[in-house]
Structures are given as C-alpha cells and as structure tokens.
Amino acid sequence: MEKDISKILIDQEVILRRLDRIAERIERDYAEGDELVVVALLNGAFMFMADLLRRLKMPLSIECLRVSSYHGGTESSGTVNFLDRTSPEVSGRKVLLLDDILDSGRTLKAVAEKLTDAGAAEVRSCVLLVKDRPREIEIEADYYCFTIGNEFVVGYGLDYLEKYRNLPYIGVLKDECLLPEHRS
Ligand code: IMP
Ligand code: MG
C-alpha cells in the first residue's frame, strides 16, 4: 500500500495535533448542557471520528450514516445516495455532522438538509479536509482541519476504489496506481 503513495501530504502527527485544537474549539463553542448528536458519514469519516471524539470530554451520542456520492473513481457522481433504511433520531437535538472531505459540497448539503427536515434543532459540520476548488454548491464547513489543493487524496479514511482507507496519513497516489481513465 505504502509503495503506491507518491507523497505524504499530511502526516499522522500533524493530523492529531490539529485535532487537539479543533476538539478544544468545539468544546468551547457548545454550551454546558448541550445534548449533542454526532452524525458521522461512513465509510470516509471513520478514522477522523474515532480520533476527534476521543478528544471531546462533553457528553454526546453517536450515529453513523452511510452515504455514497463517488462511483468508483476520482470524480463525484453528482448524486448523493442514502444507503440506510432508517435515519438517526435527531428531533430537537443539536447535530454535529462529521465528514472526511468537502469537495463539491453536495454530500454535506444533502445530509444537512435531511437532518434539518428530520427536526434537528441545529446542524453544524466538521470536516477533516476542504478542497480548494470552485464549488457549485454554496456551503461551508463550520469546522475544518486542513485545506488542500484540488487533487485526489487517499488515506486516513479516504479511499480510491475502497482501498487505502487504513493509511494513517493523507497522501497522493502514484499516477500508475490509478486506472488509465483516472490518470492525469
Ligand atoms: P462532495 O459531495 O463532492 O463534497 O464529496 C464528498 C465525498 O467525496 C467525500 O465524503 C469523499 O468520500 C469523496 N471524495 C471527495 N474528494 C475525495 C478525494 O480526494 N479522495 C477520496 N475521496 C474523495
Ligand atoms: Mg469515498
């Protein structure tokens, strides 16, 4: 797996140090007594969720939603599919939505709308990465850890064709490890 990586963009130590800061900010921003529901989007947010939440000392509950927007490649498909049959119970609750990356913005937007429709009192979002690119959808994350250029990355939860999610850092794949149709 390591041999497929052309460069490490953000190493594990840097990620974890940044999560310390973001966790402090989140704790400061929520008032005491807030009953937070964290909704994490799987599979991409699994590592981010585990490392961020273990840094929060406030009471919270966790829900996971399976959403897909990529269809086997490096470009967003344009539609967001909800893969679960039920939605988390968020009525009247404050929700903190966690995702791996804000790319086109469609995923965060669709999920935030769904949770608002389900009666959430408030929906904020927290993402590990924000891709620096023009966005068709107007949405910003309330909390983000890093901004990256408009390039395809893997690791720390992010995949290419479901691989590389377990790399402990964020990296860029060698061109030769991409299918011919995804090469630059
Ligand atoms: P959006 O709906 O276009 O913002 O896309 C969000 C989803 O696309 C993320 O949750 C990721 O699963 C996937 N994605 C976007 N950019 C990348 C990338 O560079 N590497 C891996 N997955 C990505
Ligand atoms: Mg993905």
Side-chain angles (χ1 to χ4, degrees):
M1 220 172 31
E2 302 255 320
K3 67 175 182 359
D4 295 354
I5 300 298
S6 67
K7 71 172 171 200
I8 294 179
L9 212 58
I10 311 169
D11 73 28
Q12 190 179 17
E13 215 179 295
V14 173
I15 295 172
L16 296 180
R17 256 190 280 129
R18 180 73 179 134
L19 292 189
D20 289 340
R21 298 284 86 76
I22 294 287
E24 282 169 13
R25 264 193 53 204
I26 291 172
E27 295 220 303
R28 260 203 321 270
D29 288 358
Y30 284 94
E32 212 155 299
D34 273 350
E35 271 211 35
L36 192 63
V37 186
V38 173
V39 175
L41 304 188
L42 297 182
N43 295 328
F46 83 97
M47 210 177 273
F48 176 44
M49 162 172 90
D51 282 338
L52 179 68
L53 297 189
R54 84 182 76 196
R55 285 168 167 72
L56 294 178
K57 292 168 211 86
M58 60 205 279
L60 51 83
S61 59
I62 301 171
E63 298 280 353
C64 295
L65 268 184
R66 290 179 65 89
V67 174
S68 82
S69 68
Y70 261 38
H71 287 280
T74 56
E75 292 293 332
S76 233
S77 68
T79 47
V80 178
N81 301 308
F82 289 88
L83 306 177
D84 298 296
R85 263 189 277 144
T86 55
S87 293
E89 179 45 64
V90 295
S91 182
R93 315 277 299 274
K94 290 192 175 181
V95 174
L96 182 64
L97 186 55
L98 300 186
D99 201 7
D100 50 0
I101 187 165
L102 174 60
D103 183 13
S104 71
R106 287 193 198 96
T107 305
L108 270 193
K109 173 114 184 180
V111 177
E113 273 173 7
K114 195 176 168 90
L115 295 169
T116 304
D117 291 347
E122 175 194 277
V123 181
R124 287 191 212 171
S125 56
C126 176
V127 295
L128 178 69
L129 304 173
V130 174
K131 242 185 224 188
D132 187 12
R133 56 166 274 189
R135 262 178 271 287
E136 310 87 70
I137 310 288
E138 250 187 77
I139 186 159
E140 278 178 41
D142 296 284
Y143 305 94
Y144 64 91
C145 301
F146 305 97
T147 303
I148 61 166
N150 192 7
E151 61 185 331
F152 188 78
V153 294
V154 295
Y156 202 77
L158 293 119
D159 72 305
Y160 174 57
L161 305 180
E162 290 304 321
K163 259 176 82 179
Y164 308 105
R165 291 195 195 274
N166 54 323
L167 285 173
Y169 51 76
I170 309 279
V172 178
L173 279 176
K174 289 181 182 159
D175 219 33
E176 73 227 40
C177 297
L178 298 172
L179 293 173
E181 60 267 36
H182 300 142
R183 288 180 195 160
S184 47

